[in-house]
Structures are given as C-alpha cells and as structure tokens.
Amino acid sequence: SPPAAVSQVTVRDALNQALDEELERDERVFLLGEEVAQYDGAYKISRGLWKKYGDKRVIDTPISEMGFAGIAVGAAMVWLRPVCEFMTFNFSMQAIDQVINSAAKTCYMSAGSIAVPIVFRGPNGASAGVAAQHSQCFAAWYGHCPGLKVVSPWSAEDAKGLLKASIRDDNPVVMLENELLYGVPFEMSEQAQSKEFVIPIGKAKIERQGTHVTLVSHSRSVGHCMEAAAVLSKEGVECEVINLRTIRPMDIETVEASVVKTNHLVTVEGGWPQFGVGAEICARIMEGPAFNYLDAPAVRVTGADVPMPYAKILEDNCIPQVKDIVFAVKKALNI
C-alpha cells in the first residue's frame, strides 16, 4: 500500500481545524472570548469561524473574564458545550472562582446529576517579551484540582486531537496551549487530519525511544527535550522522550515503564519548581514500583523561581534551554 500522505500543519491551523469541525459536528458547541469573532481571534486561532457560523456560535465578549467564564459555565450546566478562550491563562485568575468552584466541583457536589461540559483554552506559560503578568505556567495550579481535566499539547497533532477530545468530554477541561508554538509547523498524518481524529485524554506519547534516560515533559519543553536528545545521541546517550499531553489525569504508567527500562529520570517544564509538574512526577515515581529501578536520583529542570523578567537575556535564563536539559541528563547519568 502507498505511504499515507503527511503534510505540514501549524499548531494554529490544527486548532482552527478542530474548532471548525466540532462547531460543524455539534450545534451545541460555541466559542466565546475577547476578539474571537470579528477580529478572527487575537492569535488568529478562530480565523474564518465567525464568518462561517455567525454571532450565535462565535461570540465576542467584553473584557470581563469573570463574566464570560460564568456565562459559559451556566451554559454548560444546561447542556450547551462552550469553548471559553482566555487571551492568556494569566487572565483566567479573574475567573478562577468560576473555573474551580463553579465548573470543577459541580458534578461531584450534585452527585453526578449536573455535568459541566466546558473547555477553557488559550495560551499558557511564557511567550516572548511580555513580562511576568503574561508568562506564568498554570499546569500545576489547574492540575492540582479534582474535577478538572487538564491537557497541554505540543505538536499540531496533539493540539487538534486533544481539543476535539476536550470539546466532546462531558467534564470541564482546561487546555493549556503555548503561544510560541502557534506558528510552528509539524508533520501531520492523513489520519490526524480526518474529522474523527481524537487523542484520548490521560495518555502520554513516547516521542522518541531511548535506553539511557527518561525525559518527561509537556508543551513547548517537549521540543527542547527532542533537541537535547539529538545532541546527546551524538555523544552516545540515548534519551527516551515522553510527551505527557495530559497533566490531569496523569499517565504515570507510561513514565514508570520507561524508568524501568532506562533507570534514570529527568523532568522538564517551563513552570516554577515548587509544587510543580516535575515535583509530582518525582513523587509518584518514588511511591510506585519504578522507584527500585532508579540508579540515580531524579532531576528536575524547571523555570527559574522568579516572576518572569522583561529583559530578553533574563527571560532566556529563566526558561529551560536545551543546554540545561543536556546538563541535567549528564548529572543524572553522572557523566
């Protein structure tokens, strides 16, 4: 049989494709947020959707996160399927009461009688040159809260498959995208471009097979891990790179199986170190069956423990770079 067609698709176009397909598939789906309609989205994720679906399905909101997140949560409680875009997840702090107290806890508190099928999505973590109030990673914040599902895509395939799965899920899902990935093209298979392509929430993906050390990461840091793995491969060190895809529920089984194979673990994330995603992975590995297979302590690579500075050189030093990952791997392997 001929090889399946593979084409280059940016993360932006993958997200746009997913929204378009789900708006078309289910009339209960609608998108709301600042600038999502007539302006085609602040990041052009919703390009063309307002023209195609109109005012009822793609809704521009005032600059009032608490208001429009609350409207969206109420709509979800009566079985519409809102996609609520935050211009950056830093601004979701305005609406954290709605996300946590109204969306996340309602199914449990109603003994399962009220579902809240809503997606909160938008850029998360550091972009470039936007300082502390636009650069925080909220994976650990939202990953902390039962009642939410939290996904964090890297590639175009991740973005499309996870957004479609999130919209179809009957629970509140927080989808943490990365602005710096929007314009990045990835190879996307014919299968991934089909209308029925979804990626199951809660399943990690091994992006690169390796035998010496396990690198676990999510979002943009997966790309850095792939680059570090290529550098280390030239020195005879083979890294297994795991793309978490989902922060909650976390696929610890895939990480455990890899650690059993490689006997070494390095976690990589753009977020802060204290109570971070890497801290959780290390704790879970320590508590589980893979701990006895570790030949050295796990090493965390994280963002610096400071609010993000504005100056470019300081910003670069606050975000994990490829060289930091290479250094951490050599530390873990004692070479």
Side-chain angles (χ1 to χ4, degrees), residues 113-132:
S113 65
I114 303 172
V116 188
I118 186 171
V119 180
F120 300 102
R121 54 156 292 273
N124 170 67
S127 178
V130 290

Side-chain angles (χ1 to χ4, degrees), residues 127-151:
S127 178
V130 290
Q133 290 177 343
H134 302 75
S135 297
Q136 187 176 336
C137 175
F138 289 92
W141 282 56
Y142 288 119
H144 179 63
C145 300
L148 291 178
K149 294 183 179 181
V150 183
V151 297

Side-chain angles (χ1 to χ4, degrees), residues 236-253:
V237 175
E238 293 303 329
C239 302
E240 183 142 297
V241 179
I242 297 177
N243 171 8
L244 276 178
R245 283 180 164 174
T246 307
I247 306 298
R248 179 184 192 101
M250 189 178 278
D251 180 3
I252 208 69
E253 295 77 18

Side-chain angles (χ1 to χ4, degrees), residues 41 87 144 166 172 258 271 322:
M87 201 176 277
H144 179 63
S166 300
S258 180
V322 172

